[in-house]
Amino acid sequence: MKDVLCRLAMSVAAFAAMSPVAEAQQLPVIRDRQLLVDGKPYLALGGELHNSSASSPDYMLPIWDKLQAMHVQTVIGTVSWEDIEPKEGQFDFRAVDAQIAEARKRDMRLVLIWFGAFKNAASTYAPSWVRGDTRRFPRAVVQGAMTEAFTYEGAMPKPVLSVFSPELLKADRAAFVALIKHLAEVDTNRRVIMVQVNNETGLLRDSRDRSALAEAAWKAPVPTQLLKYLSTHRSTLKPELEAIWSRKGRRSSGTWDEVFGTDWQAEEVFMAWHFARYMEALAAAGKHELALPMYVNGWLGPQEGQPMAGQYPSGGPAKRVLDVWRAAAPSLDMLSPDIYAPNVKEVLADYDHAGNPLFVPEAQFRTGDIFWALGQHRAIGYSVFGIEDGRIDGQLAQAFSALSGMDGMIAQAQAEGRIAGVLLDDGKPAVIKLGDYTITIHETMALLKQMLLDVGLQAPPPPPPLPSETEGTTARPAPGDGRAFGLIIDEGNDTFLIVGKGFTADFAIGSKLAEVDRVEEGHFNAKSWLARRVINGDERLSVIPTDRIGTIRIKLVRPAPS
């Protein structure tokens, strides 16, 4: 009888482990460059709130309904150190709890940003009891000509704490751990799926901190952990970092100047190591309480107008020092770019590096970039900044609606290399290879214009400008993305799924074009493909809309072999 009861108990436990209730208790995890939520692939598509919005639950109430109407499934909210610990050791998590409760009502997911000691290379979110005690929490010291570029007459200074302060690390870590402990207690069905550790860290106005604590660290030996990492991963290092290490003969020991030199490039490596070790300490301690995926975001650099570290935050997770961060902070699941520059394709390629999962936590309202990131770089998510300014009838909302229900399909296609992104920046054709097929992509309006010119007819007038994508507090409303963009997924058996706007696709094997067998227009829900209509006749010549985002499934007649 005892054996029977034991087996029965094991069977009940096994059943419970497979039940939806138990499945919902699984922690989100990043595995094989995929984000799994409740054990299933998940695309974190949505937007980041303005920095101060989430500090007031009342202010946020109408925003939640708007985000739901925009088909946003992931909201990046904020947690400010000064708000949750106004007095040392006394915590107030009401604003955090309100975000979780509202997300739960709408079946949304949250990513929380910890605005701790560092936010945009300053310390404006640290509590008064931290900023006001410069003896216990010393400031960073900067010097040199670069400081003049950041000095404006009448501008009040921003506090910048020193990342080398052990007391600052202790206090920041204690508050962060308190937050994660609280999430473990109250977020029982895991609305929070990731946590960002501080925000756009690094040092402005100089390439390194010159405080007494920093000077002592600069004169100390380079940690063996970093040098071993450089040696082990030499073949995959970013070329900029490999060049810095090489110019001193790839030394395996020595002080920072002996190994890397004394210019701004060497000092950026130095600052990157120490900022990364600081964030590693927070992430490791937080994961000890609740093992949520954690990441940091980076202010881009070098970039136009900011060619040197210090003009962009020195030591932050910029492209030149990504490998330093990977060596110093193994508890971080990924290093993420904030993209406000026009060279989006280049930035995405920079951060799609050495297995780093790609997640964009901040970006402009440019819908096409989302599709490129998903199709070309296996992105697990993409977020625009100031999402509450978006329009419920805007292009971005269309994109979120079209992509909803496709998480598993896109993730599997990413893992198997059966997906490609379309983004025609200059109107020129693009060529994609998927399976046996070569796919030539044309911008629909450019192709129509050329066809009319070829037969001596007047080209059509240019389309009217797209309506504004944003409303509300945005100073300059963002227009909808006028480029042709989308995703193409190879489903096998000569069938392709296409989501996007403004392009045509010609499929060929070798030199032979395929014929169209059947085209269905439709969309996905959480379970399956729902066909709306069959497109036939002349309408097959341009099956992707030019004025909105559409989804089609196209079946081809495979060309006969030669």
Side-chain angles (χ1 to χ4, degrees):
M1 177 62 71
K2 183 177 180 181
D3 290 343
V4 172
L5 291 175
C6 183
R7 288 195 295 272
L8 178 61
M10 293 174 63
S11 299
V12 170
F15 176 78
M18 294 185 292
S19 71
V21 174
E23 185 179 0
Q25 304 308 309
Q26 295 184 48
L27 280 174
V29 64
I30 295 177
R31 182 182 301 136
D32 299 327
R33 294 187 64 186
Q34 290 185 346
L35 172 60
L36 303 180
V37 175
D38 293 343
K40 301 174 183 177
Y42 181 86
L43 297 178
L45 299 177
E48 180 178 325
L49 300 169
H50 283 289
N51 295 160
S52 302
S53 296
S55 66
S56 169
D58 290 339
Y59 179 87
M60 280 295 301
L61 276 177
I63 292 174
W64 288 111
D65 291 334
K66 181 180 182 180
L67 298 182
Q68 187 172 28
M70 290 176 64
H71 307 282
V72 170
Q73 65 181 27
T74 307
V75 178
I76 301 185
T78 60
V79 182
S80 169
W81 187 7
E82 68 173 344
D83 290 339
I84 71 162
E85 195 183 10
K87 294 184 179 180
E88 187 169 8
Q90 298 180 19
F91 294 97
D92 180 353
F93 294 109
R94 285 176 293 179
V96 177
D97 295 344
Q99 292 180 72
I100 294 172
E102 297 300 330
R104 185 180 293 123
K105 287 179 187 177
R106 297 163 178 81
D107 196 26
M108 293 178 179
R109 302 288 179 166
L110 286 170
V111 176
L112 291 181
I113 302 175
W114 171 241
F115 283 159
F118 299 101
K119 197 274 183 187
N120 291 37
S123 303
T124 51
Y125 284 75
S128 298
W129 57 268
V130 172
R131 288 180 281 110
D133 190 347
T134 56
R135 183 178 295 274
R136 181 181 172 192
F137 304 107
R139 303 293 178 93
V141 175
V142 296
Q143 64 185 35
M146 198 182 299
T147 62
E148 297 175 3
F150 294 86
T151 302
Y152 305 95
E153 185 176 355
M156 293 186 291
K158 291 182 178 180
V160 182
L161 299 166
S162 176
V163 75
F164 296 90
S165 167
E167 282 294 311
L168 180 64
L169 173 58
K170 181 180 177 181
D172 195 353
R173 180 172 53 198
F176 184 70
V177 167
L179 168 65
I180 303 301
K181 279 185 176 180
H182 184 74
L183 294 180
E185 294 169 359
V186 303
D187 187 24
T188 53
N189 70 340
R190 304 302 172 225
R191 292 297 98 192
V192 179
I193 58 172
M194 292 193 292
V195 176
Q196 178 180 302
V197 186
N198 278 283
N199 186 86
E200 291 188 359
T201 58
L203 181 72
L204 288 172
R205 300 196 298 163
D206 202 344
S207 51
R208 74 172 174 91
D209 186 352
R210 313 284 171 175
S211 66
L213 290 171
E215 287 296 327
W218 175 255
K219 294 173 183 176
V222 177
T224 302
Q225 180 180 340
L226 174 57
L227 294 172
K228 283 186 176 180
Y229 186 96
L230 297 180
S231 179
T232 303
H233 298 83
R234 180 181 165 190
S235 62
T236 61
L237 293 178
K238 283 287 185 181
E240 298 92 341
L241 179 61
E242 209 283 330
I244 296 168
W245 185 39
S246 297
R247 63 188 182 178
K248 289 279 190 173
R250 302 189 188 94
R251 294 186 56 157
S252 59
S253 65
T255 60
W256 288 93
D257 61 345
E258 290 171 343
V259 174
F260 297 110
T262 58
D263 61 2
W264 70 267
Q265 299 176 79
E267 292 177 338
E268 181 182 18
V269 174
F270 168 71
M271 293 300 293
W273 174 262
H274 287 284
F275 270 109
R277 291 303 294 168
Y278 185 105
M279 304 310 153
E280 165 66 15
L282 268 64
K287 285 189 169 187
H288 182 74
E289 303 299 332
L290 184 66
L292 290 172
M294 297 187 185
Y295 70 97
V296 293
N297 63 329
W299 176 328
L300 298 183
Q303 58 179 302
E304 185 177 355
Q306 299 175 355
M308 298 169 54
Q311 295 171 331
Y312 63 89
S314 183
K319 67 176 184 178
R320 299 169 57 89
V321 290
L322 291 179
D323 296 297
V324 178
W325 274 80
R326 290 172 66 85
S331 296
L332 294 174
D333 293 271
M334 56 196 169
L335 311 172
S336 298
D338 290 348
I339 307 180
Y340 297 101
N343 58 330
V344 174
K345 289 182 177 179
E346 180 183 332
V347 173
L348 293 172
D350 283 334
Y351 282 79
D352 185 358
H353 169 65
N356 179 51
L358 184 63
F359 174 63
V360 178
E362 294 184 37
Q364 295 169 305
F365 277 79
R366 285 163 54 96
T367 311
D369 299 337
I370 300 173
F371 288 81
W372 185 259
L374 292 173
Q376 296 300 113
H377 295 287
R378 295 186 61 178
I380 64 173
Y382 204 103
S383 179
V384 301
F385 181 74
I387 185 63
E388 62 264 53
D389 293 338
R391 300 177 63 95
I392 61 174
D393 59 348
Q395 188 185 78
L396 190 68
Q398 285 182 30
F400 292 154
S401 177
L403 294 169
S404 64
M406 295 181 63
D407 300 53
M409 170 178 287
I410 290 174
Q412 185 173 354
Q414 288 174 332
E416 297 173 358
R418 297 185 290 102
I419 189 171
V422 173
L423 184 58
L424 302 184
D425 291 307
D426 53 10
K428 295 180 180 178
V431 177
I432 293 169
K433 180 75 174 175
L434 282 177
D436 296 334
Y437 284 90
T438 299
I439 309 166
T440 303
I441 308 296
H442 294 272
E443 186 182 279
T444 304
M445 295 306 296
L447 184 62
L448 176 60
K449 178 180 179 180
Q450 187 59 52
M451 290 171 62
L452 291 173
L453 291 174
D454 288 346
V455 297
L457 297 177
Q458 186 175 359
L466 290 167
S468 171
E469 183 70 87
T470 56
E471 60 187 9
T473 60
T474 302
R476 290 183 296 175
D481 196 333
R483 301 171 295 177
F485 59 79
L487 292 175
I488 301 178
I489 298 175
D490 181 359
E491 298 188 286
N493 297 319
D494 305 306
T495 302
F496 292 83
L497 186 76
I498 305 178
V499 187
K501 175 190 79 74
F503 65 90
T504 63
D506 293 327
F507 294 79
I509 295 180
S511 61
K512 293 188 175 182
L513 285 168
E515 294 180 5
V516 176
D517 185 21
R518 181 180 175 86
V519 178
E520 292 179 350
E521 182 183 68
H523 69 279
F524 282 89
N525 63 15
K527 296 181 180 179
S528 61
W529 167 254
L530 301 176
R532 290 183 56 209
R533 61 175 180 155
V534 176
I535 301 176
N536 214 316
D538 293 340
E539 291 181 339
R540 285 180 173 173
L541 297 177
S542 177
V543 293
I544 292 293
T546 59
D547 59 344
R548 59 184 173 84
I549 297 170
T551 306
I552 65 160
R553 175 172 272 160
I554 181 168
K555 172 73 174 175
L556 304 171
V557 177
R558 178 177 283 256
S562 301

